[in-house]
Amino acid sequence: MMTSVKGFKDIYGEELKLFKIAKNVLEEIAENFAYEEIITPVVEYSELFERSVGIDTDIVEKEMYTFMDKSGRNITLRPEITASIARSYIEHHFETKPLPLKFYYFGPCFRYEKPQKGRYRGFYQYGVEAIGDDSPLLDAEVIYIGYSIAKKLELKNVSVKINSIGCRKCRTTYKEKLKEILEPHYDDLCEDCKRRFYTNPLRILDCKKEVPDLKRSLPKIIDYLCEDCRKHFDNVLDYLQKMSIPYEIDDTLVRGLDYYTRTVFEVVSSDLGAQNALLGGGRYDYLIEELGGRPTPAVGFALGMERLVEIMKSQGFSVRNKQLIYVAYQQSAFERAIFIAEALRNYGFKVLLDVKNGNFKNQTERSSKRNAEFTVFIGEEEVNTNTVTVKNMKNKAQTKVELANLDGFFKERKNV
Ligand code: HAM
């Protein structure tokens, strides 16, 4: 049997309905915060991710779908979208527009990860990015957007985790301190962390394999922040308080992408299992500069659609289906049936025209199997009297309705 590629999945039925409801809410929230949509390509030159996400990260090291195109260009299916936004910002000279620029996006991403609940190789991200200002108010604003999503969709059991990983200056001091303390325990580290010890010791903090005792004994990065970074972090927390957003400082939160500075955060859900981050993000003040642009501070987050839908499903989010009207007809009334189906669709109803035709009894059975709310019968008599017979499939009541009253009749009975 042919199947979809491992780690990729079809989205259909109820799940797709939740996906679409969620997408509408996400887009509406971003628009209401005056963020503008941007669509960037699914493929980029591999170098973009190597230079942004970082050569020593799991994503670039092990998870990228990278290949040569037919002209020998090294390209990659995007594992995330922030790097593309930064590239686009530089390429189109967005710095000439009023700053901060605010973007939101939605689209597929690809990571060759070990598939498990909440983790796919093909998944959809929604995200927001505010570019061109280092105000802590922007950090708080993007977290506010993430929090508004959870509130609007009435998600339970979600919380905001936040940390600051400082700037180039203070992070270097902290990394050195970390290495100094970890060195005597080097042999106890897992294989990944032995490598991280040299490439990015910060990542050892959020490694799930490390011994909790050792992790507890490590210094906290917020105790090593320079004065500017400390002030910035305090201001972010202050804004969050003023916005009534509950948060928890998590000093092991460092995030798995290299471009972050200062604020990092996640919104996590206890309904998600091991992969509990619904969304994650932070500030990335050096990224645009490192990709060849002017120094440009920025902050944003991305959310995994599959995880959002999973939470909605597990919390019993109910989908309101549009009522379905089934049109049954005698063959001699076919043209009238087409006309009526079209009229009903134009009134805004969802209409299914019977395909097999045959007697009304069989057509009614088919209507019932489709869970139609109403069946409209059109026979010769209905054609001659300019009426239709409508059967309410729930209470079985039948009513003759004149064609001129069709719209009103169904609108009065919307979602009976
Ligand atoms: P990230 O934490 O790598 O950050 O991904 C953001 C979100 O995408 C995660 O919290 C999760 O919901 C979802 N996600 C990631 N990988 C998978 C996967 N394999 N399967 C399903 N869902 C997944 C970023 O991508 C950054 N670009 C976020 C950002 C934006 N930072 C600043 N601006």
Side-chain angles (χ1 to χ4, degrees):
M1 187 181 57
M2 290 294 287
T3 63
S4 62
V5 173
K6 186 175 174 190
F8 290 76
K9 66 173 194 158
D10 301 318
I11 306 171
Y12 57 93
E14 286 297 295
E15 193 167 302
L16 182 58
K17 283 183 187 152
L18 290 175
F19 195 95
K20 283 167 86 169
I21 291 171
K23 183 169 181 272
N24 285 339
V25 167
L26 297 173
E27 286 175 349
E28 191 185 314
I29 289 178
E31 294 275 345
N32 290 349
F33 274 84
Y35 283 60
E36 241 180 70
E37 186 168 14
I38 181 164
I39 300 176
T40 57
V42 176
V43 290
E44 298 277 1
Y45 291 118
S46 306
E47 192 195 348
L48 175 66
F49 302 111
E50 288 158 9
R51 286 175 54 185
S52 55
V53 173
I55 203 100
D56 295 319
T57 57
D58 287 349
I59 296 179
V60 173
E61 233 173 33
K62 314 183 222 170
E63 298 168 1
M64 294 219 295
Y65 281 89
T66 293
F67 55 97
M68 290 282 179
D69 73 4
K70 292 197 193 309
S71 309
R73 297 182 190 97
N74 193 318
I75 61 179
T76 291
L77 295 180
R78 64 180 177 199
E80 60 107 53
I81 305 181
T82 310
S84 303
I85 306 288
R87 192 257 316 129
S88 178
Y89 180 93
I90 301 166
E91 184 172 344
H92 305 297
H93 297 285
F94 286 148
E95 74 277 0
T96 55
K97 294 181 183 280
L99 301 179
L101 259 189
K102 297 181 174 185
F103 288 122
Y104 77 92
Y105 51 82
F106 181 88
C109 294
F110 308 86
R111 294 183 193 178
Y112 192 80
E113 295 199 74
K114 198 167 190 290
Q116 53 173 265
K117 189 169 177 258
R119 192 197 265 168
Y120 304 95
R121 289 181 175 172
F123 58 99
Y124 284 82
Q125 270 193 354
Y126 156 90
V128 299
E129 314 286 352
I131 308 175
D133 200 304
D134 68 357
S135 166
L137 178 55
L138 280 186
D139 306 48
E141 180 178 274
V142 296
I143 297 172
Y144 190 23
I145 294 178
Y147 189 69
S148 304
I149 291 166
K151 251 174 105 177
K152 180 91 191 202
L153 290 168
E154 296 177 6
L155 306 184
K156 294 179 279 279
N157 314 325
V158 291
S159 54
V160 178
K161 293 191 163 185
I162 188 166
N163 195 17
S164 173
I165 56 168
C167 61
R168 280 177 184 141
K169 218 170 49 189
C170 50
R171 195 168 8 177
T172 311
T173 321
Y174 176 72
K175 274 187 192 168
E176 274 159 18
K177 185 78 197 161
L178 202 57
K179 280 174 89 169
E180 195 186 302
I181 295 176
L182 283 170
E183 196 152 22
H185 305 280
Y186 180 85
D187 289 340
D188 304 330
L189 297 177
C190 74
E191 284 314 305
D192 279 337
C193 284
K194 281 190 174 130
R195 188 174 33 81
R196 288 173 184 143
F197 181 86
Y198 297 104
T199 58
N200 186 0
L202 231 55
R203 288 300 314 278
I204 300 176
L205 291 178
D206 77 347
C207 173
K208 304 241 160 25
K209 288 188 209 139
E210 283 328 323
V211 244
D213 277 351
L214 175 61
K215 273 170 72 170
R216 264 195 294 273
S217 70
L218 298 175
K220 293 178 181 173
I221 192 161
I222 43 173
D223 294 334
Y224 283 76
L225 297 181
C226 62
E227 210 186 315
D228 284 350
C229 288
R230 179 74 237 186
K231 227 159 85 196
H232 193 274
F233 190 48
D234 285 343
N235 283 335
V236 175
L237 300 182
D238 190 43
Y239 280 125
L240 291 180
Q241 248 153 21
K242 292 193 169 110
M243 291 167 172
S244 305
I245 300 171
Y247 61 82
E248 197 184 305
I249 296 177
D250 178 349
D251 37 60
T252 62
L253 184 67
V254 291
R255 314 260 311 126
L257 302 92
D258 271 359
Y259 48 63
Y260 291 113
T261 45
R262 293 188 164 172
T263 316
V264 286
F265 62 90
E266 285 182 353
V267 172
V268 298
S269 161
S270 53
D271 288 11
L272 281 175
Q275 303 303 316
N276 70 349
L278 166 64
L279 63 87
R283 188 159 268 292
Y284 50 98
D285 290 348
Y286 308 133
L287 176 60
I288 290 176
E289 183 186 345
E290 277 166 5
L291 291 176
R294 292 187 200 160
T296 311
V299 60
F301 74 76
L303 169 151
M305 286 303 287
E306 289 75 8
R307 295 189 191 175
L308 178 56
V309 168
E310 182 59 40
I311 299 175
M312 290 164 77
K313 242 189 329 195
S314 74
Q315 297 186 358
F317 193 99
S318 63
V319 178
R320 229 165 179 256
N321 287 318
K322 207 172 176 186
Q323 65 181 5
L324 175 68
I325 302 174
Y326 198 92
V327 176
Y329 55 92
Q330 286 174 339
Q331 194 54 44
S332 58
F334 178 70
E335 279 169 332
R336 175 62 62 89
I338 294 265
F339 170 79
I340 286 171
E342 187 55 19
L344 287 169
R345 286 184 192 119
N346 287 339
Y347 293 142
F349 298 110
K350 188 156 104 178
V351 179
L352 204 56
L353 184 71
D354 188 85
V355 194
K356 288 205 170 79
N357 198 231
N359 64 36
F360 276 152
K361 185 167 167 279
N362 290 345
Q363 295 191 61
T364 312
E365 270 170 23
R366 287 196 284 275
S367 167
S368 162
K369 276 192 185 142
R370 297 276 182 169
N371 293 324
E373 254 132 301
F374 296 98
T375 308
V376 169
F377 296 98
I378 308 158
E380 255 166 59
E381 194 202 316
E382 281 83 4
V383 172
N384 293 335
T385 53
N386 284 327
T387 58
V388 294
T389 301
V390 179
K391 180 171 184 172
N392 180 324
M393 299 298 284
K394 239 185 237 153
N395 64 19
K396 313 287 176 215
Q398 296 213 157
T399 321
K400 268 242 174 346
V401 181
E402 292 192 10
L403 294 193
N405 295 336
L406 216 49
D407 185 23
F409 177 86
F410 286 113
K411 288 215 166 119
E412 272 167 32
R413 289 162 183 76
K414 222 167 186 177
N415 286 320
V416 281

